[in-house]
Amino acid sequence: MNPAFGVSPIKQMTEVFVDKTLDLCDVFRSLIDKEQHHSGGAENGGVKNNDSVVLDMSLWLGRAALDMMTIICFQINLDVLGTGSHSQGKGPGNRGEEQKERGRESDELYPALEELFGTNDLNFSLLFWKSWIPLVRLWTLDESSHKIERCHGMIRTLAKKLIKEREKEILAGSVDEETRDLLTLLTKATMEKVNKDRMMSLDEACEQISTYFVAGQETSAAAVTWGLHSLSNDQAVQTRLREELDTVGTDHPTKEQLDGLPYLDLVVREMLRLHSPGAWIEREATKDDVIPFEKPFTDRHGNVRQHLPISKGDWIRISIRAINCQEEVWGPDAREFNPERWRDPPKAVSTMPGLIQQQMSFSTGPKSCIGYKFGLMQMKAMIFCLIRAFEFEPAIPKEMVIRRSLAVSRPMIKGQVNQGTQLPMRIRRRVR
């Protein structure tokens, strides 16, 4: 699947990221312009207050990321944001009129996705315990488990249908040989008859699409939400970043222009270090082994332990945030937001593993995140458009925002965990 995340596809994806974030900016402007005190109530997730508006950024960024992923994975513009002004007919592998003809698939997919990503009525307490205690995972009769399975089932069903359609197009010669979008590459893998390394069953291809779709939507939205939270609480960094972004003479930057912004790169790296969207990674031991400790410790029985013995079949959970925020590596300000640290990282950082400059946010090794370049560009594009257009301020005290890790690090409000993921911020339209 590596070709799907090469330079050319990422360039095309950048157009989708930018256009959908501009759609989101249009939504924010309309909410700010509302004359009434309540801007659409709970449905729009916003309340007008003087010259600004308080918005649940996790909700809105999740909707924007959902639109992005449906275009990239399925070539369907769900238009969850309800604007459709920038992104119609865009996306890698998209065929313009073909996308419009897929309205029926949108009608089928949208309710399931909105139910899962657009609401906060999942039982997060139960999901939390399921993530930590294997026996609890056996309980599948709760409504939250039903919702998640319904959504995944809908994605798999649609993926199978689209793969079959793309197969017919490939056989008919209507797909260019150089096309490298995700759907086309997975379809070709199901058609492979000679090279065993490239073969993939239809079910495996559908699972791949489901994984890319859900992982890409949720992780990106969470990363940008947490990033804006840090920027809202550090106006100096936000202002400095905005000054750099203003040097770009267009609201529609290319991949090359985004990669040419050094301070934006520092900010995104720090967002990923401090707010890694993936809370942990899990690996299953394929044989009996031992995990050596960097430093020995004395257990509760008084025994000095130099290593941890593991057996074949054991599951090992590695905390990404714990690795990214070690004070022994990053210094006493390891849990503070400081993009400047990346100009001259501590020497201890050079020993840390990771795909991007010694941090574990995208894991490392043969099972690292295949879409890390995709994620980086998506974050840069979203931050670019939002910070150029608006000023972000905290809507609640910083200490009221807590982190709950359910595979993805979700922001919640202290005392309101039962209301699920939310992170309200106050935004103001910039006057330029």
Side-chain angles (χ1 to χ4, degrees):
M1 291 300 101
N2 283 326
F5 300 101
V7 174
S8 180
I10 293 294
K11 285 183 179 181
Q12 293 178 308
M13 291 176 188
T14 302
E15 292 185 49
V16 177
F17 301 151
V18 170
D19 288 345
K20 272 301 174 184
T21 310
L22 291 176
D23 284 349
L24 181 62
C25 290
D26 289 343
V27 173
F28 288 173
R29 291 187 187 97
S30 69
L31 290 174
I32 292 176
D33 289 340
K34 294 283 188 182
E35 295 294 340
Q36 299 178 351
H37 177 70
H38 291 285
S39 301
E43 179 182 353
N44 284 331
V47 177
K48 177 114 183 217
N49 189 336
N50 298 325
D51 64 337
S52 62
V53 63
V54 174
L55 297 172
D56 178 3
M57 295 307 297
S58 62
L59 171 66
W60 286 107
L61 292 172
R63 289 179 174 178
L66 182 56
D67 268 348
M68 295 174 190
M69 291 308 297
T70 53
I71 292 174
I72 289 168
C73 287
F74 300 133
Q75 285 80 63
I76 293 175
N77 187 2
L78 279 184
D79 195 22
V80 179
L81 294 173
T83 58
S85 57
H86 294 285
S87 304
Q88 189 65 42
K90 296 281 184 83
N94 176 56
R95 290 170 173 73
E97 291 301 319
E98 176 185 321
Q99 188 185 74
K100 297 177 183 178
E101 294 172 1
R102 288 179 172 165
R104 61 185 182 278
E105 281 91 350
S106 301
D107 292 340
E108 294 171 5
L109 183 62
Y110 177 77
L113 297 175
E114 180 68 7
E115 182 178 29
L116 183 61
F117 295 120
T119 62
N120 276 333
D121 58 352
L122 296 179
N123 187 334
F124 287 93
S125 296
L126 180 60
L127 294 176
F128 174 80
W129 289 115
K130 280 189 174 187
S131 70
W132 281 97
I133 305 176
L135 284 177
V136 180
R137 300 174 193 173
L138 298 176
W139 176 255
T140 59
L141 299 179
D142 59 288
E143 183 58 26
S144 293
S145 295
H146 287 170
K147 284 185 177 182
I148 293 172
E149 184 54 37
R150 280 199 301 272
C151 180
H152 286 187
M154 182 68 74
I155 293 173
R156 288 192 293 266
T157 299
L158 180 56
K160 185 175 293 187
K161 182 177 183 180
L162 294 178
I163 287 172
K164 287 295 186 182
E165 290 179 357
R166 186 55 55 90
E167 181 178 343
K168 292 178 182 178
E169 294 166 358
I170 292 173
L171 293 174
S174 59
V175 177
D176 192 290
E177 285 292 329
E178 299 301 317
T179 299
R180 294 183 175 184
D181 65 272
L182 183 62
L183 181 60
T184 298
L185 290 173
L186 287 170
T187 302
K188 288 182 176 180
T190 67
M191 300 168 65
E192 180 64 50
K193 304 298 182 184
V194 179
N195 190 332
K196 292 184 178 180
D197 292 336
R198 295 184 179 181
M199 289 182 184
M200 189 178 292
S201 70
L202 180 58
D203 287 339
E204 288 173 333
C206 292
E207 288 296 333
Q208 288 287 334
I209 289 181
S210 179
T211 299
Y212 288 137
F213 180 83
V214 176
Q217 189 276 342
E218 195 168 16
T219 56
S220 298
V224 178
T225 299
W226 280 114
L228 290 175
H229 171 63
S230 286
L231 289 173
S232 72
N233 282 280
D234 193 329
Q235 293 297 312
V237 172
Q238 185 180 157
T239 298
R240 182 172 180 180
L241 174 61
R242 186 176 292 112
E243 289 173 351
E244 179 183 77
L245 304 184
D246 283 344
T247 63
V248 180
T250 177
D251 289 331
H252 296 77
T254 62
K255 174 185 181 299
E256 290 77 11
Q257 287 175 311
L258 291 171
D259 281 337
L261 296 169
Y263 196 65
L264 173 62
D265 187 67
L266 298 182
V267 169
V268 168
R269 287 179 184 274
E270 182 68 352
M271 288 177 178
L272 286 168
R273 184 197 69 82
L274 186 60
H275 303 302
S276 173
W280 59 72
I281 54 176
E282 289 183 328
R283 296 290 183 263
E284 182 181 5
T286 58
K287 62 180 181 179
D288 294 347
D289 206 341
V290 295
I291 299 177
F293 296 137
E294 182 180 13
K295 298 178 181 179
F297 76 97
T298 303
D299 64 19
R300 60 181 179 177
H301 302 295
N303 301 314
V304 177
R305 308 295 292 268
Q306 303 280 351
H307 61 264
L308 173 70
I310 57 174
S311 303
K312 179 180 179 180
D314 284 350
W315 280 90
I316 308 300
R317 175 170 290 182
I318 304 167
S319 172
I320 295 176
R321 179 168 168 78
I323 294 175
N324 283 355
C325 296
Q326 291 184 82
E327 290 190 5
E328 295 86 350
V329 174
W330 298 99
D333 68 340
R335 294 183 179 272
E336 297 176 14
F337 184 71
N338 177 19
E340 290 295 326
R341 75 173 75 248
W342 291 100
R343 293 191 187 279
D344 184 22
K347 291 183 179 180
V349 174
S350 62
T351 64
M352 299 294 291
L355 275 180
I356 56 166
Q357 204 166 5
Q358 294 79 47
Q359 57 170 297
M360 285 288 290
S361 300
F362 292 107
S363 186
T364 189
K367 292 189 176 181
S368 58
C369 178
I370 190 174
Y372 78 97
K373 292 180 181 178
F374 169 104
L376 283 172
M377 190 52 56
Q378 187 175 18
M379 287 184 66
K380 287 183 178 182
M382 295 181 78
I383 293 295
F384 176 93
C385 296
L386 290 168
I387 294 299
R388 270 173 62 105
F390 303 100
E391 297 174 359
F392 291 81
E393 303 170 6
I396 57 175
K398 184 178 181 180
E399 57 271 15
M400 291 294 293
V401 180
I402 59 176
R403 188 184 306 268
R404 287 292 180 267
S405 297
L406 300 168
V408 172
S409 294
R410 298 170 179 266
M412 298 184 184
I413 298 178
K414 190 179 297 184
Q416 299 179 25
V417 174
N418 63 324
Q419 296 183 27
T421 306
Q422 55 177 321
L423 186 45
M425 297 182 205
R426 186 177 299 280
I427 70 170
R428 302 179 188 276
R429 182 182 0 222
R430 283 188 66 202
V431 178
R432 289 192 281 175

